[in-house]
Amino acid sequence: MKTAVKTELFASKAPLEWAVMANGQFYTAQIPIDTEGKVVDGGIEAQARQTMDNFKHTVEAAGLTMADVTQVLIYVTARDQLPVFNKVYAEYFEAPYPNRAAMIVAGLAREEMLCEIVAYAAQP
């Protein structure tokens, strides 16, 4: 059975949940939006931080911790953004780190978005 994770993130008009739990697994995708649903200004560092803050909030709303995260997929729109995203990302995790992959993509759902993550966690 799949259940939605209730968060305090902006309620999207799109047909989606910010996260769901199913069979002891947590699934989420996060973007750099503020409480009004607007993509934050300030370049990749500000967007990476907002994305990771939204992610951490969602993980905790599910009753989990960042230590429960098993895999993260990172999407950025330019190769030179990845080191900046990595610097911010490192502030949110400790070893043993989640498995992860990083992709450079031509664009994301909103033109002004520079990053997005997809992540999974195991319920202890």
Side-chain angles (χ1 to χ4, degrees), residues 4-84:
V5 174
K6 298 299 177 199
T7 71
E8 294 180 17
L9 298 178
F10 178 77
S12 177
K13 293 174 180 61
L16 62 84
E17 299 291 346
W18 285 118
V20 296
M21 295 290 296
N23 300 318
Q25 287 287 105
F26 169 85
Y27 304 86
T28 190
Q30 295 294 324
I31 59 176
I33 59 169
D34 62 19
T35 57
E36 297 176 0
K38 295 181 180 155
V39 174
V40 297
D41 292 327
I44 186 59
E45 186 164 356
Q47 288 196 19
R49 189 160 311 284
Q50 185 68 54
T51 300
M52 292 303 296
D53 284 348
N54 291 349
F55 175 52
K56 186 173 189 277
H57 165 77
T58 304
V59 167
E60 291 171 353
L64 304 171
T65 70
M66 296 297 276
D68 297 317
V69 177
T70 56
Q71 185 174 48
V72 179
L73 308 176
I74 299 168
Y75 300 88
V76 294
T77 58
R79 190 169 306 282
D80 63 351
Q81 296 167 346
L82 193 54
V84 178

Side-chain angles (χ1 to χ4, degrees), residues 65-119:
T65 70
M66 296 297 276
D68 297 317
V69 177
T70 56
Q71 185 174 48
V72 179
L73 308 176
I74 299 168
Y75 300 88
V76 294
T77 58
R79 190 169 306 282
D80 63 351
Q81 296 167 346
L82 193 54
V84 178
F85 195 100
N86 281 339
K87 183 183 104 185
V88 173
Y89 177 92
E91 297 173 18
Y92 291 80
F93 291 104
E94 296 178 3
Y97 300 102
N99 172 265
R100 65 169 247 196
M103 283 125 320
I104 314 308
V105 297
L108 295 162
R110 293 191 190 179
E111 186 177 352
E112 65 273 28
M113 284 178 16
L114 304 174
C115 60
E116 181 169 359
I117 64 170
V118 173

